[in-house]
Amino acid sequence: MSAPVASDAQRNEVEALYRRYGPMIHRRCRALLGNDAEAQDCLQDTFIGFLKGNWRGEAQPFTVLYRVATYQAIDRLRKRGRWHGRATDLKVREDEPDTSLEEQAAAKQTIAESERVEWAHDLAILTKGEDDFTMTAATMHWVEGHTLEEIAQTLGVTRKTVSARLSRFMERVAQKREVG
Amino acid sequence: MSRKLTDLQLERFLADAMSPAERAQVDAALGSSPEDAEALRLMKADTEALMVQLPPAAFVEKVMPTKPGSRAFGAWWAALATFAAVVVAVVFWRSSPVEDDLRVKGSVGWKVLASGKGAVRTLAPKDAIAPGETLSFQVTSAEPRYVAVLSHAPDGWFVYAPAVRIESGQSVLQTAALLDETVGDETLFLASSEAPFDANAVKEALSQGAATVVTIEPLPLLKRR
């Protein structure tokens, strides 16, 4: 991916963004890709993608960068082209009411690392052609076990929107399977 | 006791990307959960490590170059190439860097970062280093290789980073070197090979002026107070 040319002011702005969000993006890429060197490439591509995009009126930089980073990482996983059979029966898990922070955190820790990687590979294939929002929400929900509320908070939308977008994604997957 | 917070919450906390109410909730959880406090500490350490491995100025130059086609370390690579001398009978090869970031097609390249007193810089040949500074190493290779970092200082030869396999692309060696009080000329050597090797054996060979089959690339430095 080639990089744009910039003014000093833009460079200062990007440096500030990197200091604030770069480590988060790097960890996000590394968690999905399982490879430090590739995570640095993913970090770089995320910023280039962010700078090339038109994000005016979009949510906070954290939200946008998180989505772009997920998109870049999943795109890289897709190129590996491995199907593990984890994502054969997608279901949106509705949030349990009154679930404490501790219970939510514990639920996520029960997902084994190897299982996450396999889910990520499967979703990378299923999300081909999907927008970065859907790809990110799907990854957060099925790969990382985040609740709909957590996804909504992170992506700056309502829980209902997340649920609807994931449901439509599942419908598209089902249609593709019928055709295929 | 298990954690009360998710990594994602800690990420948003660190990036200051949460509402005041949510922040207060996370603050309270951190105060009562040593596991979460430890997770946050590790995250902060990881952040610091990234800033050493990929300093902000260098990163910006990669994603927003000052000139079309330029890259942050182009000048560094060019300078290093002039010092590409073979110390002993070794197989030595090197080609020009490609346009895209730090990769070197058909070869292996490296950069050394010195950090201390809050500042991080990439070392060029003949740069000064000081006792107490920490050196870290980033290696770039077009193909998977085994690499190690050695040093020749006034008080002898040392292995700074034992041989490890790196994949194609860019790798940060997990070992860093804390510089001791000895001052004087110090040369770092990147040893690399397609086959596994023992860095200590290479050190012995180099110290005795014997031949070794690994590729050696030197970086001469001056260590002073």
Side-chain angles (χ1 to χ4, degrees):
Chain A
M1 192 178 281
S2 63
V5 179
S7 68
D8 283 350
Q10 288 172 316
R11 289 164 60 84
N12 290 340
E13 197 176 332
V14 171
E15 182 170 331
L17 283 171
Y18 171 69
R19 286 181 184 279
R20 185 169 175 185
Y21 303 109
M24 173 275 290
I25 296 167
H26 183 249
R27 286 189 285 270
R28 175 98 187 115
C29 292
R30 189 175 57 200
L32 290 171
L33 294 166
N35 177 310
D36 194 62
E38 209 174 351
Q40 287 201 15
D41 289 342
C42 177
L43 165 65
Q44 184 178 333
D45 287 349
T46 297
F47 265 83
I48 292 173
F50 176 75
L51 297 172
K52 283 182 175 173
N54 180 11
W55 304 105
R56 271 181 205 166
E58 283 279 355
Q60 305 234 348
F62 182 98
T63 299
V64 176
L65 286 163
Y66 193 85
R67 277 164 50 182
V68 178
T70 306
Y71 183 93
Q72 293 290 345
I74 293 293
D75 193 46
R76 285 171 176 271
L77 286 179
R78 188 177 301 117
K79 287 169 185 164
R80 297 181 191 170
R82 293 177 203 151
W83 176 259
H84 295 274
R86 288 276 179 192
T88 51
D89 186 23
L90 295 176
K91 285 180 186 154
V92 176
R93 296 181 309 279
E94 287 301 325
D95 295 353
E96 296 283 337
D98 303 324
T99 306
S100 68
L101 281 175
E102 195 165 1
E103 286 168 330
Q104 289 175 22
K108 279 179 254 314
Q109 285 165 19
T110 61
I111 303 175
E113 187 60 32
S114 58
E115 197 179 322
R116 285 178 202 264
V117 172
E118 292 179 357
W119 265 101
H121 277 116
D122 285 4
L123 266 186
I125 292 168
L126 292 178
T127 53
K128 185 178 180 183
E130 298 287 343
D131 60 75
D132 63 286
F133 181 96
T134 302
M135 205 178 277
T136 304
T139 303
M140 291 179 75
H141 193 59
W142 284 300
V143 176
E144 295 158 313
H146 289 296
T147 64
L148 300 180
E149 186 60 38
E150 286 173 325
I151 300 170
Q153 278 183 343
T154 305
L155 301 184
V157 294
T158 63
R159 192 182 63 76
K160 195 175 171 185
T161 300
V162 175
S163 181
R165 294 286 288 267
L166 290 178
S167 296
R168 285 203 291 275
F169 165 66
M170 283 164 42
E171 287 168 14
R172 287 192 291 277
V173 170
Q175 283 171 1
K176 281 183 199 169
R177 283 188 174 139
E178 281 175 18
V179 173
Chain B
M1 191 171 169
S2 61
R3 287 181 54 187
K4 295 179 177 177
L5 301 170
T6 64
D7 284 348
L8 181 55
Q9 284 172 307
L10 292 180
E11 291 287 13
R12 293 174 58 223
F13 179 82
L14 271 182
D16 199 14
M18 52 178 37
S19 67
E22 207 182 345
R23 191 166 187 85
Q25 196 180 12
V26 171
D27 264 328
L30 284 170
S32 62
S33 167
E35 289 83 359
D36 286 306
E38 175 64 9
L40 183 66
R41 188 191 67 76
L42 290 174
M43 224 173 243
K44 285 180 177 173
D46 185 71
T47 293
E48 287 172 14
L50 180 68
M51 292 298 126
V52 171
Q53 293 162 9
L54 197 52
F59 179 78
V60 173
E61 184 59 31
K62 286 175 83 173
V63 299
M64 297 189 104
T66 47
K67 289 184 292 184
S70 73
R71 291 295 182 270
F73 302 100
W76 192 88
W77 286 116
L80 186 62
T82 64
F83 283 89
V86 180
V87 174
V88 289
V90 294
V91 180
F92 184 80
W93 39 261
R94 181 178 179 78
S95 64
S96 301
V98 293
E99 278 294 297
D100 190 26
D101 63 47
L102 296 175
R103 288 183 186 78
V104 182
K105 275 184 181 166
S107 185
V108 60
W110 65 321
K111 65 175 177 169
V112 181
L113 302 171
S115 59
K117 297 179 182 174
V120 180
R121 65 194 196 284
T122 302
L123 296 178
K126 298 293 185 186
D127 270 0
I129 50 177
E133 285 192 309
T134 301
L135 303 182
S136 56
F137 315 100
Q138 191 166 317
V139 184
T140 304
S141 176
E143 304 294 337
R145 288 184 76 80
Y146 292 85
V147 298
V149 177
L150 295 92
S151 161
H152 183 220
D155 51 344
W157 284 87
F158 301 92
V159 173
Y160 275 177
V164 292
R165 178 184 162 89
I166 61 166
E167 301 304 323
S168 59
Q170 203 176 93
S171 294
V172 176
L173 303 189
Q174 294 304 310
T175 311
L178 177 63
L179 296 174
D180 63 14
E181 294 300 312
T182 308
V183 294
D185 288 341
E186 176 160 357
T187 303
L188 304 184
F189 298 90
L190 176 72
S192 69
S193 172
E194 291 175 1
F197 65 90
D198 179 356
N200 283 309
V202 172
K203 182 186 83 171
E204 290 303 314
L206 290 172
S207 63
Q208 294 168 20
T212 175
V213 294
V214 300
T215 302
I216 298 292
E217 189 158 319
L219 175 62
L221 300 166
L222 178 60
K223 190 168 160 202
R224 62 188 178 205
R225 293 184 199 285

